[in-house]
Each structure stands twice: as structure tokens, then as C-alpha cells.
Amino acid sequence: MSGPEAPDLAAAAVSGGADVVELGFPFSDPLADGPVIRRAAERALAAGMRTQACLECLAATRAKVDVPLVPMTYSSLLEAYGWERFAADVRAAGATSLIVADLPVDARAELERVQLVAPTSTDERIGLAAERTDGWLYLVTVAGTTGARASLSPALAPLVERTRRLTDVPLYAGFGISTPEQAAVAADLADGVVVGSAALVAAENGVAALESFVAQLRSALA
């Protein structure tokens, strides 16, 4: 989620049972994101959500919730703002970690962040990502962008199996998980699930709709 409404939406998600909240810092060319998150980023940028405003929004969100907060963005934003400056400011604003979707695992090793691995990742890259990740590994279940899909990716189970052979860090699966049923299947394989696009769709109907949607996901994982 991103934009000035993020603090209230984050609080609703936590009330519904979310353990972690990802906040999107919008970027004009979000390569990893599908149409729903792209539209949200465009709306946020149009509303004036630049890096400083996003940091202020993050701090406001931290004041409302006590779960881990993980901003997700792209490397060009950090390049423009300053790598070390961004790392310091995002933590000061309340971030628990960080996701930089287009930053390879072997770049900027000094930047603590959650690493992503995909079905196309080699065992060597998965091992390096596991070694350098901040807390957990983000399993990208598809070779494509974020967004709701009709069924869970068949690539998830083999990716989980390969990754578990290489590391003991927690594995959270995302990209394409959009229904409670899909979340339940994914959670049987991985240690947790990340739901983005479907949550944003629910959030378009307000905080109560988002809380209800997250509660449905949470119930499916029980």
C-alpha cells in the first residue's frame, strides 16, 4: 500500500490479522508490479508522494501499528535519494526491513534488506540470497509481475523444496496469491504468504473491506 491513506489501511490490515505490513514507496517504472500496484503507484505519485512524503507516511504508520513494516521500492529511488541516507532515514522512520525489487543480491551488499528469489534463480543465487537476507526470503512464485491469478503457480512447490535444501531461514511466498484458498495452499508449503494486489483491490472499498479481506486470509491459514 502507498499514499496518504496508508496508516489507516495498515491499521485495518493488522486488525484483520496481518503479521507484517509492506508499504510501497511508489516509483514511475515499477518493473516487478502488475496493473493494480502500478495504478496505486501512479495515484500516489499524482498525489505528491515523493520519498520524503513516503518517509513521513511510514512514520505515521509506525505510530499506528506495532508489527514489522517493510517498505518496498526500486533502486533508482535510492540512487536519487542517496543509498546510505535512505537506509538510515527509512529505519529512523520505523521500517523493520526493506525490499528493493530490482536490486540483485550481489549489489549493495551493505544494504540490509529482504532478498527475493524466483523459480529461475540458481541454487548458487538462492544460497547467496539466504546468506544475505534480512530475516526471511521472499519467494517470487512466478516469472512475471505481481497480480491476482486464477490458480497458484506450480513453480512454488519446487522452489520451496530447492530453497529448503539450502537454508533454514523463513520462506514467504508472494506474487499471484490472491484468495484465501490460494493462501492456504501456499502456506502449507512455505512459512508465510505475501498478498499485495488483491489487498489493494479490497482497500479500494475502504478500511473495513481491507480488514475483512485480511481476516479471511488469516482464517484460511489457521
Side-chain angles (χ1 to χ4, degrees):
M1 59 186 68
S2 57
E5 71 280 5
D8 289 337
L9 291 173
V14 172
S15 293
D19 295 307
V20 178
V21 174
E22 178 185 311
L23 293 96
F25 276 31
F27 178 56
S28 58
D29 189 21
L31 299 177
D33 292 312
V36 170
I37 296 179
R38 280 178 176 269
R39 285 196 300 270
E42 289 167 0
R43 288 195 298 268
L45 290 170
M49 292 298 293
R50 303 299 186 264
T51 303
Q52 186 57 47
C54 287
L55 290 167
E56 293 167 1
C57 181
L58 171 61
T61 304
R62 171 49 70 210
K64 282 183 172 285
V65 303
D66 59 6
V67 301
L69 298 178
V70 183
M72 194 285 280
T73 191
Y74 292 84
S75 56
S76 290
L77 187 148
L78 278 75
E79 182 72 32
Y81 190 85
W83 293 90
E84 293 181 3
R85 178 186 173 209
F86 186 90
D89 287 359
V90 79
R91 296 281 182 169
T96 309
S97 189
L98 177 66
I99 297 170
V100 187
D102 61 344
L103 189 63
V105 63
D106 50 4
R108 295 282 174 177
E110 77 282 1
L111 182 68
E112 290 187 29
R113 60 193 189 273
V114 173
Q115 299 286 351
L116 295 88
V117 298
T120 53
S121 300
T122 64
D123 285 0
E124 180 182 5
R125 300 292 282 189
I126 291 173
L128 183 60
E131 178 184 321
R132 294 186 176 178
T133 201
D134 185 19
W136 48 279
L137 268 180
Y138 193 140
L139 303 187
V140 178
T141 65
V142 295
T145 60
T146 60
R149 288 172 170 80
S151 59
L152 193 65
S153 170
L156 176 58
L159 178 59
V160 170
E161 183 180 356
R162 280 203 299 137
T163 305
R164 288 210 192 279
R165 289 201 303 264
L166 298 166
T167 182
D168 293 327
V169 302
L171 310 179
Y172 294 0
F175 281 54
I177 299 172
S178 56
T179 68
E181 293 77 18
Q182 291 171 0
V185 174
D188 281 342
L189 299 168
D191 300 301
V193 297
V194 182
V195 179
S197 295
L200 284 178
V201 170
E204 291 176 356
N205 293 313
V207 293
L210 177 61
E211 181 176 348
S212 176
F213 175 69
V214 175
Q216 291 174 47
L217 294 173
R218 187 81 222 190
S219 178
L221 302 182

